[in-house]
């Protein structure tokens, strides 16, 4: 199954979705939006982190599941990267807290990466290169976010919380091997948050065509050209999911039939988990995949850039799915909360203490 | 009451992990890292990291305000019987007070203990939630 030309793969993966959900229509009602707004972008509900959760705690859970599935000694992990746009500290790495809490050795590279929603996938690309060069045996790449949205902004319907983690290592230990990886990035003013600002802003007219669609289409076409692969060679295609509609639309533009894109879509039920978005979709696919299947994953981050990554599933995937909670189990585990509880959990209510 | 940066950092390993002590002589397992077996006094002991799973055997609800953790109130403080045997104290989170029940299977997760907003440190450590994977 694992051809010798592939040297690096995914040894373990993990997911985390907080238990709390708020219905998108409840947010819409709060601000007087028409109900059709939520239907037009296909968002049902979104996951909300509890008051004692953040990027570090969610990233820890996903990473621990990746280690449980991989069954490796934490001391052999030589790099830990956290891709996030909701760092609990402006200065002080999240990655070192997660690494220490998991018992990963001090002898490692470790940093937080920021590139809107695709810093986690850049962490995967860096880990692949480190493993391939022999610099480290395993690299841990985490995408985790408690995404902020200005209350009343249309982004509030989707901006949610979640995490995904991938342990990258030698191909012969992997559940899926990396076949081909490319990245396409430019300077695009589609979405940003200034230092010290609580909420992001978006450049009207830039978010769709010039940002999401242009970058994903360019990255995937580059991968097809370089690898000689065609959409028909893939069993599944997973894209970044700012909402439920965009991934289906970009799949259509690239020639992927709906049935290859739908299985990797998670946003309508958990919201846009930013750095975890496409990576949770990939985790869900891996958990339902068969050895020999080929998966395309294309994360996108504003600013802007997209990755296109092709992986081939090995027979090791089957024995590792059950060792930690699956994406489907995490989606099914939920408690509904009101807008008021959501506002309390996400620190939108300001009160004097003492 | 605030956490002390230095005390918390020195005990970091005990906030991030749950350890138990297994006696090589009488075979019993005690909570925490110990130099001697509390049951037979033997020094022939081994420190084991708990997998973090167990059962809620009792709990109380606390409304006591501690600085930096006001937004987590009320807090549920539970007694958890670990699968490895010992009973330890831990905070139970992600639960509604009206659905709490003794006998619930729980697992340890990393959460915020307190957060000195907006300029101070965030203190992380293990709490318990109802198990995700049934
Ligand atoms: Zn003893």
């Amino acid at each position: 199954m694992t051809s010798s030309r592939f040297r690096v793969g995914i040894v373990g993966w993990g997911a985390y979705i907080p238990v709390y959900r708020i219905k998108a229509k409840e947010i819409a009602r709060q601000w007087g939006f028409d109900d059709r707004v939520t239907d037009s972008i296909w968002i049902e509900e979104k996951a909300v982190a509890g008051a004692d959760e953040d990027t570090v705690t969610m990233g820890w859970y996903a990473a621990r599941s990746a280690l449980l599935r991989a069954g490796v000694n934490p001391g052999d992990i030589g790099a830990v990267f956290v891709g996030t746009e909701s760092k609990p500290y402006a200065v002080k790495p999240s990655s070192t807290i997660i690494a220490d809490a998991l018992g990963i050795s001090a002898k490692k590279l470790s940093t937080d990466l920021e590139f809107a929603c695709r810093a986690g996938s850049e962490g995967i690309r860096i880990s692949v290169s480190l493993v391939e060069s022999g610099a480290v045996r395993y690299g841990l790449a985490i995408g985790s976010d408690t995404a902020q949205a200005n209350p009343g902004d249309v982004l509030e319907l989707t901006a949610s919380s979640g995490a995904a983690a991938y342990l990258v290592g030698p191909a012969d230990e992997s559940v899926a091997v990396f076949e081909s990886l490319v990245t396409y990035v430019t300077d695009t003013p589609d979405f940003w948050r200034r230092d010290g600002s609580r909420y992001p802003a978006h450049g009207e007219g830039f978010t769709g065509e010039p940002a999401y669609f242009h970058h994903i289409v360019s990255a995937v076409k580059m991968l097809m050209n370089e690898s000689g692969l065609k959409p028909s060679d893939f069993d599944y295609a997973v894209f970044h999911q700012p909402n439920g509609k965009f991934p289906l639309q970009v799949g259509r533009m690239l020639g992927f039939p709906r049935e290859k894109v739908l299985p990797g879509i998670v946003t309508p039920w958990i919201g846009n988990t930013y750095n975890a978005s496409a990576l949770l979709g990939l985790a869900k696919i891996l958990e339902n995949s068969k050895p020999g299947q080929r998966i395309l994953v294309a994360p996108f981050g504003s600013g802007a850039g997209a990755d296109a990554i092709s992986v081939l599933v090995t027979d090791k995937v089957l024995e590792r799915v059950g060792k930690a909670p699956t994406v489907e189990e995490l989606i099914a585990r939920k408690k509904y909360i009101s807008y008021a509880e959501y506002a309390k959990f996400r620190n939108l209510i300001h009160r004097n203490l003492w | 009451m605030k956490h002390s940066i230095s005390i918390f950092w020195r005990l970091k390993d005990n906030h991030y992990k749950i350890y138990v002590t297994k006696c090589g002589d009488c075979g019993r397992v005690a909570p925490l890292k110990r130099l001697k077996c509390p049951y037979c006094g033997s020094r022939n002991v081994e420190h084991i990291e708990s997998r973090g799973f167990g059962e809620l055997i009792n709990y109380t609800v606390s409304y006591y305000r501690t600085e930096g953790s006001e937004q987590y109130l009320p807090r549920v403080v539970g007694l958890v019987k670990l699968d490895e045997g010992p009973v330890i104290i831990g905070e139970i989170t992600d639960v509604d007070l009206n659905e709490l029940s003794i006998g619930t299977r729980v697992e340890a997760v990393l959460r915020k203990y307190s957060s000195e907003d907006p300029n101070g440190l965030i203190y992380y450590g293990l709490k318990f939630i109802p198990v995700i994977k049934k």
Side-chain angles (χ1 to χ4, degrees):
Chain A
M1 176 72 49
T2 310
S3 151
S4 60
R5 72 196 164 101
F6 304 121
R7 290 154 61 196
V8 185
I10 297 165
V11 180
W13 76 97
Y16 182 74
I17 300 164
V19 70
Y20 300 105
R21 299 285 185 284
I22 182 167
K23 295 269 189 196
K25 286 198 163 47
E26 165 135 6
I27 300 171
R29 265 195 300 277
Q30 176 76 21
W31 302 111
F33 296 154
D34 194 300
D35 266 4
R36 280 171 297 190
V37 175
T38 60
D39 300 335
S40 70
I41 57 171
W42 192 22
I43 177 74
E44 311 279 343
E45 51 202 50
K46 70 171 189 176
V48 181
D52 60 356
E53 296 189 276
D54 65 12
T55 292
V56 166
T57 67
M58 297 190 305
W60 173 89
Y61 197 100
R64 198 197 45 164
S65 292
L67 300 195
L68 284 174
R69 285 202 170 98
V72 307
N73 171 11
D76 290 335
I77 298 171
V80 180
F81 301 110
V82 176
T84 182
E85 59 169 78
S86 43
K87 277 163 65 72
Y89 291 95
V91 177
K92 186 179 190 304
S94 309
S95 54
T96 54
I97 305 170
I98 294 174
D100 265 28
L102 290 170
I104 293 171
S105 150
K107 186 193 174 196
K108 62 178 176 296
L109 291 171
S110 190
T111 195
D112 291 5
L113 306 169
E114 189 279 311
F115 195 131
C117 298
R118 67 161 285 277
S121 59
E122 182 119 349
I124 291 177
R125 289 216 57 186
I126 296 170
S127 297
V128 169
S129 298
L130 287 169
V131 172
E132 200 155 36
S133 72
V136 306
R137 180 162 182 85
Y138 303 105
L140 178 61
I142 301 165
S144 182
D145 266 308
T146 52
Q148 325 88 348
N150 196 11
D153 186 331
V154 69
L155 277 181
E156 197 188 14
L157 297 172
T158 49
S160 74
S161 300
Y166 287 84
L167 187 72
V168 174
D172 58 2
E173 300 172 27
S174 292
V175 300
V177 295
F178 291 104
E179 196 177 28
S180 181
L181 306 95
V182 298
T183 299
Y184 180 92
V185 300
T186 69
D187 170 19
T188 305
D190 58 321
F191 172 96
W192 61 88
R193 180 166 63 85
R194 293 288 301 270
D195 191 20
S197 171
R198 280 172 64 94
Y199 306 115
H202 36 106
E204 292 302 337
F206 274 97
T207 49
E209 207 47 56
Y212 182 86
F213 294 103
H214 172 70
H215 289 80
I216 291 183
V217 167
S218 300
V220 173
K221 284 192 170 158
M222 192 157 57
L223 179 123
M224 301 286 183
N225 284 338
E226 289 183 11
S227 64
L229 293 166
K230 308 177 295 297
S232 58
D233 294 321
F234 291 90
D235 297 282
Y236 301 102
V238 188
F239 303 102
H240 176 57
Q241 306 163 27
N243 51 50
K245 194 180 81 172
F246 276 22
L248 287 171
Q249 219 169 314
V250 80
R252 220 164 30 238
M253 289 165 75
L254 286 161
F256 289 95
R258 195 178 162 88
E259 65 269 19
K260 290 187 179 179
V261 182
L262 267 179
I265 292 186
V266 293
T267 285
W269 304 282
I270 61 171
N272 179 5
T273 54
Y274 284 45
N275 272 283
S277 173
L279 302 183
L280 282 174
L282 173 62
K284 179 167 176 265
I285 297 290
L286 277 177
E287 289 158 9
N288 292 290
S289 66
K290 295 183 194 68
Q293 289 190 318
R294 180 181 278 122
I295 306 166
L296 170 76
V297 55
F300 165 82
S302 291
D307 307 279
I309 301 171
S310 156
V311 301
L312 275 173
V313 180
T314 77
D315 49 10
K316 291 191 175 60
V317 75
L318 304 171
E319 74 203 31
R320 295 188 199 169
V321 173
K323 292 184 173 174
T326 62
V327 173
E328 281 167 338
E329 286 168 326
L330 288 159
I331 291 176
R333 180 190 80 121
K334 60 183 172 183
K335 283 176 201 254
Y336 288 106
I337 54 171
S338 63
Y339 192 90
E341 288 167 298
Y342 156 78
K344 179 186 165 192
F345 288 170
R346 291 294 85 225
N347 222 1
L348 305 178
I349 300 172
H350 294 275
R351 52 185 187 142
N352 288 344
L353 301 164
W354 309 108
Chain B
M1 194 195 82
K2 285 167 85 161
H3 278 116
S4 147
I5 293 180
S6 51
I7 294 172
F8 199 94
W9 180 78
R10 278 201 298 277
L11 296 174
K12 184 174 62 171
D13 202 32
N14 295 287
H15 297 304
Y16 293 164
K17 304 269 180 185
I18 300 167
Y19 291 100
V20 296
T21 300
K22 186 171 167 50
C23 178
D25 289 330
C26 75
R28 296 181 76 176
V29 185
L32 307 172
K33 282 183 182 173
R34 294 163 189 271
L35 296 174
K36 283 202 301 192
C37 170
Y39 304 109
C40 75
S42 166
R43 286 180 181 273
N44 175 21
V45 293
E46 183 192 358
H47 297 152
I48 299 168
E49 187 190 330
S50 164
R51 287 187 61 246
F53 288 83
E55 185 180 311
L56 182 63
I57 60 169
N58 212 336
Y59 65 89
T60 187
V61 179
S62 169
Y63 294 84
Y64 182 71
R65 286 163 68 126
T66 57
E67 216 172 314
S69 58
E70 297 89 349
Q71 70 183 120
Y72 318 141
L73 292 179
R75 310 174 79 161
V76 178
V77 181
L79 283 177
V80 173
K81 184 172 168 50
L82 296 171
D83 288 352
E84 289 84 2
V87 174
I88 63 165
I89 295 172
E91 187 173 333
I92 317 294
T93 186
D94 279 3
V95 287
D96 296 336
L97 297 186
N98 56 18
E99 62 159 31
L100 263 173
S101 70
I102 285 165
T104 300
R105 254 192 84 69
V106 293
E107 66 175 286
V109 292
L110 191 72
R111 291 295 170 101
K112 290 193 277 186
Y113 280 168
S114 70
S115 180
E116 287 166 9
D117 296 336
N119 299 316
L121 212 60
I122 304 167
Y123 297 91
Y124 294 97
L126 297 178
K127 298 183 183 177
F128 289 91
I129 61 169
V131 288
I132 294 181
K133 200 170 186 67
K134 306 288 183 215

